[in-house]
Amino acid sequence: MSPIRRSRLGLKSLTCIAYHGFEIPSNAPFELKPSPGKGWGAFATQPIRKGFLILTEKPVFVIKKPHEEITEGDIRSAFARLTPGQKKQFLCLRDNGSTPFTSMESALSENSFATSSSMASPVHGLYLLHSRFNHSCLPNCEIPETKTEAVRSFATRDINIGEEIRFCYEPTFQCRTVYERHEALRFVCDCNACLPGSFQRASNMRRRLTRGLQYLTIGHDLDGQNHGTSPAIIFDARLKAAAENLEIPLSARLIYNLLAMALQEEEGLMNDLLIARFKPSILATVSLFSTARYARIARLAMTQETWVDKFSIASRLWGLADRADVLFSSNLPRSRQLSV
């Protein structure tokens, strides 16, 4: 599940109270109020601990089409089926910024999420409350992928009373520089990774390096494509070919994965949901070592407390060829056998 890219319009007047009519669950740990420069936002009304389920929300309506195929007519048809109360809440969305929405299509594009469902066709739903959660490249919550139409948000770190609850609109931002992120967002984020300074410079390097490490471990870039022969994230032609042919040695693959996790940890993006997504594949890589000494080092690395320490231990394997590499290489056509 990923949110449709949307822009935030600045608020002309902080006296607008349209969102006070939104129905917020009584146990929700937040309130809606103006967020300077971002329209309305969600702010914690109580301490929210890391891992806490902030909100489960069902869509006001869904449209079972790819986003690019959704028309104004589709949205008007969905709107016509709403109850009077739901219609009133939908129309509140036009009061978010300084300029009211001129079409229902623009209201949907800025306040909807693409979800995975049990059906084969793509599903986009309109979520009134989650659409008020603003963006940060250093978020304090996450809305993970789901196979149902309901979406859920979780705190990825402790959130203090009065702090705005913000998530990252695009998962690939973990691998994109500040310029690339702002170009995609069409607005300027004000988190520490975006504000000029030493952290931003270090952040750009960490995210760029993470992108390259991802290319080396999965064999393609963020868009799922190889870069051909044009200059790209991987400039060494032999290394790039090895990655795209899935010929990166086992020891290097483990080191690349652990370094990427260490960079995420240093960036402040590490959370339980990220670990749950990537740790199983890292453990699977560890299980593939067939040289006993190398397998012991790999297992020792995974017992360390931090990802930096895991990477530090695993780096002892750099340049070492495990027996599993030989077995894998022997099953490849000779034209694809390449050592790195």
Side-chain angles (χ1 to χ4, degrees):
M1 183 275 299
S2 63
I4 294 178
R5 189 179 301 161
R6 53 221 161 132
S7 62
R8 293 295 186 190
L9 298 172
L11 202 66
K12 247 183 191 177
S13 171
L14 300 185
T15 60
C16 174
I17 60 172
Y19 281 14
H20 291 179
F22 270 10
E23 297 174 2
I24 302 176
S26 58
N27 62 345
F30 64 86
E31 63 179 346
L32 299 180
K33 62 181 183 180
S35 177
K38 302 180 181 67
W40 285 70
F43 294 80
T45 55
Q46 65 186 55
I48 302 175
R49 298 305 175 198
K50 178 181 177 181
F52 185 81
L53 172 61
I54 298 172
L55 176 67
T56 300
E57 184 181 19
K58 294 181 179 179
V60 176
F61 61 75
V62 297
I63 298 177
K64 296 175 180 178
K65 278 187 174 183
H67 176 241
E68 60 274 11
E69 296 180 11
I70 296 176
T71 66
E72 183 84 2
D74 294 326
I75 303 168
R76 290 190 178 276
S77 295
F79 178 80
R81 294 190 293 270
L82 299 180
T83 66
Q86 290 173 324
K87 290 179 179 179
K88 183 178 179 180
Q89 295 223 325
F90 176 89
L91 293 175
C92 284
L93 294 173
R94 64 186 176 187
D95 296 317
N96 179 48
S98 58
T99 305
F101 293 120
T102 57
S103 69
M104 287 190 172
E105 189 175 0
S106 61
L108 178 74
S109 67
E110 296 190 14
N111 297 280
S112 64
F113 292 82
T115 67
S116 301
S117 72
S118 58
M119 303 180 66
S121 60
V123 173
H124 281 81
L126 179 74
Y127 299 84
L128 295 174
L129 294 178
H130 274 111
S131 69
R132 297 308 94 220
F133 288 21
N134 283 310
H135 166 82
S136 174
C137 301
L138 294 172
N140 54 18
C141 88
E142 183 169 335
I143 304 175
E145 292 186 355
T146 177
K147 294 184 178 180
T148 68
E149 291 181 354
V151 299
R152 300 186 298 169
S153 51
F154 296 87
T156 54
R157 62 169 175 78
D158 291 348
I159 303 174
N160 298 321
I161 295 177
E163 186 177 353
E164 185 170 6
I165 301 170
R166 302 199 288 179
F167 74 105
C168 184
Y169 285 177
E170 174 53 60
T172 66
F173 281 5
Q174 295 177 342
C175 302
R176 294 193 185 277
T177 65
V178 62
Y179 172 79
E180 293 166 338
R181 298 195 303 272
H182 289 181
E183 187 177 44
L185 288 170
R186 295 173 293 163
F187 65 88
V188 177
C189 177
D190 60 359
C191 72
N192 284 341
C194 292
L195 294 175
S198 58
F199 187 92
Q200 184 206 82
R201 292 191 293 273
S203 174
N204 281 340
M205 290 188 288
R206 283 191 290 262
R207 295 186 190 226
R208 185 72 173 174
L209 181 53
T210 298
R211 182 174 176 178
L213 292 168
Q214 176 177 289
Y215 199 111
L216 291 175
T217 54
I218 65 177
H220 57 74
D221 201 10
L222 303 177
D223 57 1
Q225 301 297 315
N226 296 339
H227 281 166
T229 58
S230 61
I233 193 69
I234 305 298
F235 293 93
D236 186 303
R238 293 180 70 252
L239 183 59
K240 181 173 175 291
E244 292 169 358
N245 291 325
L246 303 181
E247 296 169 352
I248 296 294
L250 197 58
S251 59
R253 183 175 298 276
L254 176 61
I255 291 169
Y256 294 155
N257 275 313
L258 294 180
L259 177 55
M261 294 294 277
L263 290 168
Q264 298 294 289
E265 186 175 57
E266 184 68 18
E267 185 71 358
L269 296 174
M270 185 59 62
N271 60 67
D272 294 340
L273 295 171
L274 185 70
I275 293 172
R277 284 199 298 271
F278 291 102
K279 190 172 181 179
S281 64
I282 295 174
L283 291 175
T285 300
V286 170
S287 70
L288 293 176
F289 282 90
S290 60
T291 302
R293 184 166 69 91
Y294 303 164
R296 285 196 297 271
I297 294 174
R299 290 195 297 269
L300 176 63
M302 294 307 298
T303 65
Q304 305 306 303
E305 183 174 354
T306 69
W307 291 96
V308 170
D309 289 339
K310 289 177 172 52
F311 164 71
S312 179
I313 295 296
S315 64
R316 301 174 188 176
L317 295 169
W318 182 253
L320 300 177
D322 189 82
R323 284 201 299 267
D325 294 324
V326 177
L327 292 173
F328 177 73
S329 179
S330 65
N331 291 323
L332 290 173
R334 290 186 62 85
S335 62
R336 291 187 58 195
Q337 294 180 18
L338 174 67
S339 61
V340 179

